[in-house]
Amino acid sequence: GDIVLAAGPPEKFKRGVVEYLRGEGVLAYQFSYECVKAKKGRRLLMTPAGCILTNWYKDGDKRSPRPLAISRYEMYRTWLSYYEPTSWGIVFDFRDTFFQRDPFTLVDRSAKAPNLHLFAENRQVKRVGNCIFNSGWLRCWGKETPKKFANNSVVCSGSTMGSVPALKRYTERMVQEMDKMKCHATPARTESDQGYHNYLYDTGELAKLPGVRVTHHEQGHGIVNTIGAMNGFRVPKHMKGPLDTHWKIKDKDGWILDYNGERSAVVHQWDRFHSECVRHIDRLADDYMRKKLAAA
C-alpha cells in the first residue's frame, strides 16, 4: 500500500528529508499557503482568520480563508480520487501514530459490513459533556447541541478508516459542512475539525450518505487505539496512571494492547505517554531497518 503525506514548502525541509522520503517510497505532496496574519502567540495551524492554499488548485483556491487543520480534508479528497473503488485507506494524524500490525488485514470487507470506521477516545475519562473543548466545538450548531450529545463518546477526527468510496463521501461531506458553517469565523473561533466530525456522526448525517455504513469503535476495542485522553491534564489524578499497571494495556515487552489482550494494530496519541512508549517505538523502528537491510 501507499504512504501519503502532506508536506510543507520545499524550502522548509531539513537536509536529508527529501532523500529519506524517497528512499522509503513515501508519496509526499508538498503544499504552500498564505495566511491572514495571526495574532501574537497563535500557531498558523489554528489561526481562526485562516489560510488559503496557493499551489493545490489548478485555477486557484476559491474557498475562503480557513485553518490549515481543516484544509487537510481537501487534500484527502484529492488523494482519494487517485485510487480504485476496491481500495481501503486510513486518514490520520501523522506525528502521534504508530503501527504494531497491518490494520488492513483485520477489517471485514464483506458486502454488509461497515465501510467507514470512526474511533473514540476513552469515555471513562472523556465524553462530550465533560470536555470543554469538544462541547465548545459543538456549540457552533447551537448551545443545545452539546447538551443533546453530552453522554456520547468523543470520536477522534485524527483517525478514520474506510473504503475509498466511503472515505470520498465522508471527506466531501466534511468539506461541505465546513463551508456551510465556517465555525472558525464565528465568535467562538472554532479552529478544529473534530467538531464537524462528531456533529455529522452524532446527528446521523454520515449514516445518510449513499453507500456508507458507518460505525464507531470505543477506545481499546477497534483497529485504532486512541489513548491520549487517558493521560489528559484535566483527568483527576486517581483516574489515571501508567499504561501497564493502571490501564492494563501494555505488556512486559512494551506492546500496547486492546482490552481483549491482543496487540493494537494502530496506536494513536502515544505522545501523551511518551516516556512509556518511546523505547518500544524505537525498537520497532530498529527492527524495521534491520529487516530492510537484510532484504536489500
Side-chain angles (χ1 to χ4, degrees):
D2 291 337
I3 300 174
V4 184
L5 299 180
E11 63 271 15
K12 293 189 177 182
F13 270 29
K14 292 184 178 180
R15 181 181 297 178
V17 171
V18 170
E19 292 74 18
Y20 172 77
L21 293 175
R22 286 174 178 165
E24 294 298 320
V26 173
L27 302 177
Y29 291 81
Q30 294 180 311
F31 70 99
S32 57
Y33 51 86
E34 293 179 357
C35 298
V36 177
K37 187 176 180 181
K39 289 189 176 182
K40 186 177 180 180
R42 294 191 65 87
R43 293 176 296 168
L44 291 179
L45 181 69
M46 301 172 63
T47 304
C51 311
I52 59 170
L53 303 177
T54 56
N55 71 338
W56 200 259
Y57 295 105
K58 180 180 178 181
D59 298 320
D61 189 348
K62 306 301 183 183
R63 299 181 70 210
S64 59
R66 63 278 185 199
L68 292 178
I70 65 175
S71 293
R72 61 177 172 170
Y73 288 86
E74 301 162 69
M75 300 176 188
Y76 296 160
R77 181 174 60 182
T78 299
W79 298 331
L80 288 164
S81 69
Y82 300 146
Y83 291 89
E84 297 294 329
T86 53
S87 297
W88 275 64
I90 304 180
V91 293
F92 60 87
D93 296 337
F94 171 73
R95 178 185 58 82
D96 59 356
T97 302
F98 70 92
F99 292 78
Q100 298 185 132
R101 290 196 286 166
D102 182 351
F104 297 105
T105 64
L106 304 175
V107 68
D108 181 357
R109 305 192 193 193
S110 59
K112 294 184 179 181
N115 60 3
L116 184 65
H117 297 263
L118 314 185
F119 305 96
E121 301 187 48
N122 183 281
R123 66 172 285 110
Q124 181 179 339
V125 300
K126 180 190 284 189
R127 294 178 300 283
V128 168
N130 69 0
C131 177
I132 62 170
F133 296 108
N134 285 277
S135 59
W137 295 330
L138 286 175
R139 287 195 191 97
C140 183
W141 290 267
K143 64 181 181 179
E144 296 301 314
T145 302
K147 297 178 184 178
K148 183 177 180 180
F149 302 114
N151 196 45
N152 285 29
S153 299
V154 172
V155 285
C156 180
S157 60
S159 57
T160 302
M161 182 178 192
S163 68
V164 162
L167 285 172
K168 281 183 177 180
R169 292 189 175 99
Y170 160 73
T171 54
E172 191 62 53
R173 186 65 182 86
M174 286 283 282
V175 171
Q176 181 187 58
E177 193 69 15
M178 291 166 179
D179 284 344
K180 174 186 174 183
M181 297 303 296
K182 292 184 172 63
C183 297
H184 59 279
T186 66
R189 306 195 335 171
T190 302
E191 77 284 343
S192 176
D193 57 331
Q194 191 152 294
Y196 298 96
H197 186 73
N198 278 267
Y199 177 80
L200 293 177
Y201 180 64
D202 288 343
T203 58
E205 288 296 311
L206 293 182
K208 295 177 184 177
L209 296 174
V212 172
R213 300 178 299 279
V214 63
T215 190
H216 91 271
H217 305 269
E218 292 296 334
Q219 180 269 322
H221 295 281
I223 288 174
V224 177
N225 191 353
T226 303
I227 63 176
M230 295 148 68
N231 201 32
F233 67 92
R234 285 185 172 83
V235 178
K237 188 175 181 179
H238 72 277
M239 293 181 68
K240 60 183 180 180
L243 292 171
D244 51 3
T245 57
H246 180 79
W247 292 106
K248 314 293 185 186
I249 61 166
K250 178 184 173 185
D251 69 16
K252 62 181 179 60
D253 297 315
W255 296 91
I256 306 303
L257 310 174
D258 291 338
Y259 291 117
N260 63 4
E262 295 183 0
R263 293 174 180 174
S264 303
V266 184
V267 181
H268 183 211
Q269 298 180 348
W270 70 268
D271 58 331
R272 279 67 157 184
F273 290 91
H274 182 276
S275 62
E276 298 184 56
C277 294
V278 67
R279 290 183 181 179
H280 172 58
I281 295 171
D282 286 345
R283 284 195 297 270
L284 293 178
D286 289 343
D287 288 345
Y288 166 76
M289 290 305 298
R290 279 194 291 269
K291 291 176 182 177
K292 181 179 179 180
L293 291 173

